[in-house]
């Protein structure tokens, strides 16, 4: 069933993916990156078969949702996120990587949504130190060259090349080729990526902890960017309403490595919603 996209006042885009019978939840998938489009979550949405309606969300200026001034429009991400969460009833946000960080930086969402899934994300900017140490211990010469090139001459193509060169950092050996191929097919937006690096990433700190909201937090066992311990060792996330799962043999995109377990933890979360 094809539906036209929904647009918010801030030019965020919601694209309908599929609907299943059952509870009329609206699952809104928010990508990471930033600058990486919601197409990055296509494979995940397909394997889950969630009850209700599934939507992909792109902030204005993110991925393929380009504007006349991407950085300026993206700078209103907080307003856009609230508009997205308010656009439909019974919203459950499913946010990957930096998408989850934007969610945790927006405390008003706790009063709007009925559920939250954070995938391979982090509660603070401390993930950058963890990742930097891993990169220092596991240098990739080609990635270092492209990082220098990107800093001197940023573009969508250079950002894509850099991301692909870094695939060994956020994949497993088994999924390396599949994740590389999937990244090659995605839209990138360097202006959004640069804005976030300058204005959000370095100072990010979660502004709320779900107190009663049903919440699922998952990350791959081999996620070297945002490991699950960032949440599992945080006392404020040790709550009865929060499920925390490490995906065995999983990377930063764990549904490529262990789709069976990812599906099972989503099924357990659906039971918690009931």
């Amino acid at each position: 069933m094809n539906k036209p996209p929904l647009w918010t006042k801030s030019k965020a885009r919601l694209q309908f993916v599929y609907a299943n019978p059952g509870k009329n939840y609206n699952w809104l998938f928010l990508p990471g990156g930033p600058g990486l489009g919601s197409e990055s979550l296509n494979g995940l949405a397909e394997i889950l078969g969630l009850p209700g309606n599934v939507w992909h969300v792109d902030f204005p200026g993110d991925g393929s949702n380009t504007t006349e001034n991407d950085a300026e429009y993206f700078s209103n991400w907080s307003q856009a996120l609230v508009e997205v969460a308010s656009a439909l009833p019974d919203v459950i946000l499913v946010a990957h990587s930096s998408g989850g960080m934007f969610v945790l930086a927006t405390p008003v969402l706790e009063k709007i949504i009925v559920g939250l899934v954070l995938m391979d994300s982090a509660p603070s900017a401390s993930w950058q130190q963890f990742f930097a140490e891993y990169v220092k211990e596991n240098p990739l010469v080609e990635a270092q060259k492209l990082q220098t090139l990107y800093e001197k001459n940023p573009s969508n193509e250079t950002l894509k090349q850099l991301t692909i060169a870094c695939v060994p950092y956020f994949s497993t050996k088994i999924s390396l080729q599949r994740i590389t191929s999937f990244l090659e097919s995605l839209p990138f937006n360097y202006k959004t990526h640069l804005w976030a690096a300058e204005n959000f990433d370095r100072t990010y700190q979660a502004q709320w902890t779900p107190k009663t909201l049903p919440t699922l937090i998952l990350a791959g066992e081999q996620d070297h960017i945002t490991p699950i311990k960032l949440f599992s060792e945080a006392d404020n996330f040790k709550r009865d309403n929060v499920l925390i799962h490490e995906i065995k043999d999983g990377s930063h995109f764990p549904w490529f490595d262990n789709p069976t377990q990812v599906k099972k933890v989503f099924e357990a979360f659906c039971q918690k919603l009931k």
Side-chain angles (χ1 to χ4, degrees), residues 186-200:
L186 298 179
F188 286 74
N189 193 318
Y190 81 94
K191 293 179 181 178
T192 300
H193 179 262
L194 290 178
W195 184 93
E198 182 66 28
N199 298 282
F200 181 83

Side-chain angles (χ1 to χ4, degrees), residues 50-92:
L50 296 166
N53 306 298
V54 172
W55 303 78
H56 282 171
V57 175
D58 287 293
F59 284 134
D62 207 4
S64 61
N65 186 22
T66 55
T67 69
E68 57 268 31
N69 189 330
D70 290 339
E72 179 179 345
Y73 273 95
F74 190 84
S75 68
N76 294 317
W77 63 265
S78 183
Q79 178 182 342
L81 182 52
V82 173
E83 289 176 2
V84 162
S86 305
L88 298 164
D90 297 324
V91 163
I92 300 171

Side-chain angles (χ1 to χ4, degrees), residues 75-124:
S75 68
N76 294 317
W77 63 265
S78 183
Q79 178 182 342
L81 182 52
V82 173
E83 289 176 2
V84 162
S86 305
L88 298 164
D90 297 324
V91 163
I92 300 171
L93 285 174
V94 183
H96 181 239
S97 195
S98 60
M101 300 175 205
F102 286 119
V103 170
L104 289 180
T106 313
V108 70
L109 291 173
E110 187 172 21
K111 300 178 181 179
I112 301 173
I113 61 179
V114 300
L116 173 63
V117 180
L118 301 172
M119 305 179 298
D120 300 86
S121 192
S124 71

Side-chain angles (χ1 to χ4, degrees), residues 183-258:
L183 287 173
E184 287 173 343
S185 69
L186 298 179
F188 286 74
N189 193 318
Y190 81 94
K191 293 179 181 178
T192 300
H193 179 262
L194 290 178
W195 184 93
E198 182 66 28
N199 298 282
F200 181 83
D201 295 345
R202 299 172 186 172
T203 58
Y204 160 65
Q205 176 66 49
Q207 298 300 308
W208 64 289
T209 301
K211 296 181 177 61
T212 59
L213 185 73
T215 301
L216 168 63
I217 300 175
L218 63 93
E221 180 184 35
Q222 298 185 48
D223 185 343
H224 305 300
I225 302 175
T226 52
I228 196 66
K229 70 177 184 179
L230 297 176
F231 282 107
S232 63
E233 296 179 0
D235 289 340
N236 55 327
F237 283 91
K238 296 177 181 178
R239 311 182 65 88
D240 291 340
N241 61 301
V242 179
L243 298 175
I244 298 180
H245 287 278
E246 185 173 66
I247 306 302
K248 181 175 175 56
D249 300 323
S251 63
H252 191 62
F253 296 90
W255 56 93
F256 277 90
D257 312 288
N258 194 339

